[in-house]
Amino acid sequence: MELQQLVDRIATEVMPGGAAADYIPALARVDARRFGMAVATLDGEVSGAGEYRAPFSIQSISKAFTLALAVGDELWERVGREPSGSPFNSLVQLETENGIPRNPFINAGALVVTDHLGPGASQRLLRFLREESGNPGIGVDEEVAKSELDHGDRNRALAHFMASYGNMRNPVDVVLHEYVRQCSIAMSCADLARSALFLARHGVRNDGSRLLDVSGAKRVNAVMLTCGTYDAAGQFAYRVGLPGKSGVGGGIVAVVPGRCAICVWGPGLDARGNSVAGVDALDRFTTLTGWSVF
């Protein structure tokens, strides 16, 4: 079955469910029944179905890209690589583990990565995503950014707590500003699938230059597999069998090394914060194609 036929079939079979994220008001208004899916092959060709060209708030999907921009030995001195087993905005483990977040994809860990990149991190990410997607029109959704900043007390608490342990190098307000803006970038499934292809190419960008060496790409993919879907990473690996990173905007990016990158979008979330329709679509995709890292 050709990829376009496969994506069309999945779009007709997938069952939306769950509810849109309600703790960020700008996200709560999005219709949970919407759905899009795009598959980008190594040559950049995209097969899509549903609303695969509709932009949405990428939220924590951004953390996969900022990790790729920041990854290195020095970073791993400040953040771990283990699943947390706790909600993505939990404060509990930080106290018992001396201000070192479990992994770079929970909020505390992503704040450390943003701090590591420093002032201008969100603009650096935006340039990278525009270049990789081939879409210079990608930008920050200012309404979402304001909504998230106005309701960001938990993230402020996480950042100040880590600062008390010496694990913040920049002022907390600067880090929060950059973090909120990177999460509030709006992209489509097509844009995101193209942008994630460097992980399918073992670190090589769309222009042929290398962002990561083979080991670096392997490590980013590994952390995505074990930590990329909040505290449901085991269930995601069991059902889908691919490295993936989700966001509470309803998107999930997944990588098939050596083959393609996939992005699905369904704003209805399950209790763990992952897209119900998105996980279902990816489960169907790997089942029908047999493509998996296992």
Side-chain angles (χ1 to χ4, degrees), residues 201-230:
R201 293 197 201 94
H202 310 291
V204 176
R205 298 181 58 174
N206 285 335
D207 64 2
S209 65
R210 183 170 285 282
L211 176 68
L212 300 170
D213 61 20
V214 172
S215 292
K218 177 193 72 175
R219 288 165 180 159
V220 172
N221 279 329
V223 178
M224 287 172 66
L225 179 69
T226 59
C227 307
T229 46
Y230 309 120

Side-chain angles (χ1 to χ4, degrees), residues 101-220:
R102 276 287 178 95
N103 66 69
F105 294 151
I106 56 175
N107 286 17
L111 287 164
V112 169
V113 173
T114 301
D115 179 59
H116 187 80
L117 290 171
S122 59
Q123 280 300 116
R124 181 178 172 188
L125 173 62
L126 198 53
R127 284 195 301 273
F128 177 80
L129 293 173
R130 286 170 175 168
E131 290 167 0
E132 293 307 289
S133 67
N135 181 359
I138 292 171
V140 173
D141 185 321
E142 297 294 347
E143 181 188 5
V144 173
K146 183 179 185 306
S147 182
E148 195 162 348
L149 197 60
D150 288 347
H151 296 82
D153 290 336
R154 179 63 68 96
N155 286 333
R156 285 188 181 86
L158 291 166
H160 280 295
F161 196 81
M162 289 187 293
S164 75
Y165 280 95
N167 202 13
M168 282 277 124
R169 296 174 177 172
N170 296 286
V172 165
D173 286 346
V174 171
V175 176
L176 284 170
H177 171 81
E178 298 292 347
Y179 175 77
V180 164
R181 293 190 71 76
Q182 75 188 35
C183 289
S184 300
I185 292 171
M187 297 175 68
S188 69
C189 291
D191 292 332
L192 278 163
R194 283 198 192 98
S195 296
L197 277 173
F198 74 98
L199 290 170
R201 293 197 201 94
H202 310 291
V204 176
R205 298 181 58 174
N206 285 335
D207 64 2
S209 65
R210 183 170 285 282
L211 176 68
L212 300 170
D213 61 20
V214 172
S215 292
K218 177 193 72 175
R219 288 165 180 159
V220 172

Side-chain angles (χ1 to χ4, degrees), residues 14-21 31-37 56 61 189 228-230 232 235-236 239-240 245-253 263-283:
V14 74
M15 296 296 293
D31 186 347
R33 295 168 295 181
R34 299 176 72 180
F35 177 76
M37 180 175 184
F56 60 90
I61 294 174
C189 291
T229 46
Y230 309 120
Q235 176 71 358
F236 185 81
R239 287 188 63 185
V240 176
K245 184 70 199 84
S246 61
V248 296
I252 306 175
V253 162
C263 182
V264 289
W265 175 52
L269 309 179
D270 62 20
R272 304 291 181 88
N274 297 309
S275 170
V276 173
V279 174
D280 183 27
L282 289 169
D283 183 1

